[in-house]
Amino acid sequence: MTSRGSTKLMADDLSDLHVDKTLKAVDEAIVLGANFEPRFYLGASKIGHQCDRHLWYEFRHTAKNSIDAQGLRNIADGNLGEDVMADRLKAVEAIELRTIDKDTGHQYAVIALGGHFRGHLDGALRGLHAAPKATHIWEHKQVNEKKFRDLDRKKEKLGEKNALEAWDETYFAQAQVYMGLMKGCNRHYMTVASPGGRQITSVRTNLQKDAFNIYMDKARHIVEAAEPPGRISSKGDFYICRWCQFNKHCHSTQTAEVNCRTCAHSTPTIEKGDVQGTWVCEFHDKKLSKTTQRKGCKKHLYIPDLIPWGQVKEMDQANNTITYRTNKGTEFVNAEENAWDQKPKHFASKDLQHIDDTNIDNDELFFEEVAKFKARIVENKKAKRPTDPEPFDDSIPF
């Protein structure tokens, strides 16, 4: 007779059979090898995203980029599929496809709003059988089989020129922005493949000036907004919000990362002719390099909405502080230096990013005792991995 303990052991052993530890290690290696460098501009490829707040969080570097292994595999499949499809199109004698801008030697790019809004085209082509003399912007997408089949259904039901808008707003918005910003090119040709490129279809789209203007206005609004736009839903489990990387920043108590873009003193400027995407620190009256933007400095004060668990009570410009109150009424101050033995307690942003109202409301004695040792960093349960770079520079980089 088998004992209950050995039965449980056998069940655990059987569950392990469903996990290929080698493939699990492969996924871990994929994530560790990924380059999660932040994008320093608002991407035209995402301007059709349903949530403006999500785009603003991304533009303001609210959190580090994070993509799981499945997402990275999808991206890799898309990149490989694009190269394969480009070769297949170039093999057609009548088609002229260019994926590199001969004037710059780089990918075709569109730039707007002082360099804060950008996009990179897969290419431009001529010689399509349906319109042989017209130049088309070319984009390639790899999608799952269900989505692939849905595009052909939309084409059959609505007609080819109306299908993209109904099929995927993000792709449609990208197409409209590319056409609108590429002078003299008002046609778009998208090839679409199933994973691995085994099945291929396509869809042509024309420029719609009204749609283009709507997406450009949206981009300007996001770039210029000093605080996050409204939520798409008040519920964190809403289907769009549920898997959003900013769910906890928007619907819970996750404080934003420390960098110049999350600081109340920094502002993106939109100047005619500027293609750099310039940011200015109003405290220091200086332009901010990309390196500086990533570090921040000791003068950093959070944009108030990026401390979602506190309500602003008072702003003191002269002393460079913002006083907050938690829902339970505990007051605290975002300041240049920690002062945990004061009332209310003062927190530098570099430490405030690691705590929330649970700490503020319940750990008073802890902070008072630690203050005696002049501790600098509180990481609590939200500690960084030891391999992460220090996200804050105590020096003033000017």
Side-chain angles (χ1 to χ4, degrees):
M1 181 178 292
T2 305
S3 70
R4 294 178 63 184
S6 61
T7 300
K8 181 179 184 304
L9 181 62
M10 289 176 63
D12 289 342
D13 290 342
L14 287 173
S15 66
D16 288 342
L17 294 176
H18 298 293
V19 178
D20 186 326
K21 294 183 179 179
T22 299
L23 293 184
K24 183 179 179 182
V26 167
D27 280 353
E28 291 171 352
I30 289 172
V31 173
L32 286 173
N35 181 7
F36 290 128
E37 286 295 312
R39 177 181 283 179
F40 283 88
Y41 55 86
L42 178 63
S45 62
K46 293 197 68 175
I47 196 60
H49 193 287
Q50 293 164 289
C51 182
D52 291 8
R53 193 178 181 98
H54 173 103
L55 294 173
W56 187 90
Y57 279 141
E58 210 169 55
F59 181 63
R60 287 282 180 161
H61 293 183
T62 301
K64 289 184 177 71
N65 290 339
S66 178
I67 306 175
D68 62 16
Q70 178 64 57
L72 291 168
R73 291 199 301 270
N74 292 346
I75 291 171
D77 182 57
N79 291 336
L80 290 171
E82 178 187 328
D83 293 338
V84 170
M85 193 65 224
D87 289 340
R88 289 171 174 170
L89 287 168
K90 289 176 181 178
V92 179
E93 186 175 354
I95 291 178
E96 178 186 2
L97 170 64
R98 293 183 179 179
T99 55
I100 300 297
D101 186 340
K102 65 179 180 180
D103 294 328
T104 66
H106 300 289
Q107 208 174 355
Y108 287 99
V110 292
I111 302 174
L113 302 180
H116 293 292
F117 186 48
R118 295 171 177 254
H120 297 85
L121 287 62
D122 289 345
L125 57 74
R126 281 186 300 199
L128 292 181
H129 284 68
K133 295 183 180 180
T135 298
H136 290 71
I137 290 170
W138 173 63
E139 286 292 313
H140 179 75
K141 306 295 182 185
Q142 303 267 119
V143 300
N144 62 46
E145 283 86 353
K146 181 179 178 181
K147 191 173 181 70
F148 178 88
R149 292 191 298 270
D150 187 49
L151 175 55
D152 281 338
R153 285 195 292 266
K154 291 288 194 300
K155 287 163 59 178
E156 183 177 353
K157 181 179 179 180
L158 303 172
E160 183 179 14
K161 297 297 182 67
N162 300 314
L164 183 59
E165 182 176 8
W167 181 60
D168 191 297
E169 185 182 0
T170 301
Y171 295 162
F172 173 76
Q174 180 183 19
Q176 293 301 321
V177 167
Y178 285 178
M179 287 186 284
L181 293 178
M182 287 290 285
K183 303 302 180 184
C185 189
N186 58 8
R187 299 194 184 194
H188 187 274
Y189 179 68
M190 179 181 290
T191 49
V192 180
S194 62
R198 295 186 179 189
Q199 294 177 290
I200 308 169
T201 189
S202 67
V203 58
R204 290 184 300 138
T205 310
N206 289 346
L207 174 65
Q208 298 177 22
K209 290 186 178 180
D210 289 345
F212 166 71
N213 290 332
I214 288 171
Y215 291 122
M216 290 303 298
D217 288 344
K218 177 179 179 178
R220 178 178 288 274
H221 171 66
I222 291 165
V223 169
E224 292 182 338
E227 55 189 33
R231 294 177 178 85
I232 196 170
S233 173
S234 61
K235 298 180 180 180
D237 60 354
F238 182 60
Y239 78 100
I240 293 175
C241 305
R242 188 177 300 134
W243 306 113
C244 176
Q245 71 179 99
F246 304 111
N247 183 288
K248 292 182 179 179
H249 299 85
C250 186
H251 293 284
S252 189
T253 60
Q254 179 70 53
T255 308
E257 300 279 342
V258 171
N259 57 68
C260 286
R261 293 197 178 198
T262 61
C263 179
H265 298 311
S266 66
T267 304
T269 63
I270 299 178
E271 300 176 11
K272 187 175 182 179
D274 185 8
V275 297
Q276 299 302 317
T278 302
W279 285 74
V280 173
C281 174
E282 295 171 355
F283 190 97
H284 296 290
D285 192 25
K286 297 284 187 180
K287 291 183 178 180
L288 299 168
S289 69
K290 291 180 180 179
T291 300
T292 299
Q293 288 178 44
R294 293 179 63 181
K295 290 182 178 180
C297 78
K298 68 186 300 180
K299 301 295 183 181
H300 183 285
L301 292 184
Y302 274 111
I303 297 169
D305 284 312
L306 296 181
I307 303 178
W309 44 274
Q311 296 80 46
V312 174
K313 178 186 176 185
E314 180 184 4
M315 294 186 178
D316 186 342
Q317 187 173 358
N319 291 308
N320 194 36
T321 63
I322 302 177
T323 302
Y324 293 83
R325 183 184 286 116
T326 69
N327 288 334
K328 289 187 177 180
T330 307
E331 293 185 4
F332 66 97
V333 181
N334 186 191
E336 296 176 17
E337 299 286 348
N338 289 329
W340 296 341
D341 51 353
Q342 291 189 24
K343 291 187 180 296
K345 293 176 176 57
H346 287 48
F347 294 86
S349 294
K350 66 181 184 293
D351 296 330
L352 201 55
Q353 68 181 323
H354 299 299
I355 62 178
D356 59 24
D357 54 344
T358 302
N359 308 114
I360 298 291
D361 290 330
N362 300 311
D363 294 343
E364 183 173 353
L365 291 177
F366 167 78
F367 285 121
E368 288 178 356
E369 290 300 314
V370 173
K372 297 176 183 178
F373 299 95
K374 297 183 179 180
R376 296 184 59 198
I377 296 178
V378 177
E379 297 191 5
N380 204 1
K381 297 178 181 179
K382 300 177 183 178
K384 302 183 301 300
R385 293 179 302 175
T387 55
D388 279 351
E390 174 62 39
F392 192 88
D393 187 353
D394 266 341
S395 64
I396 301 175
F398 299 107

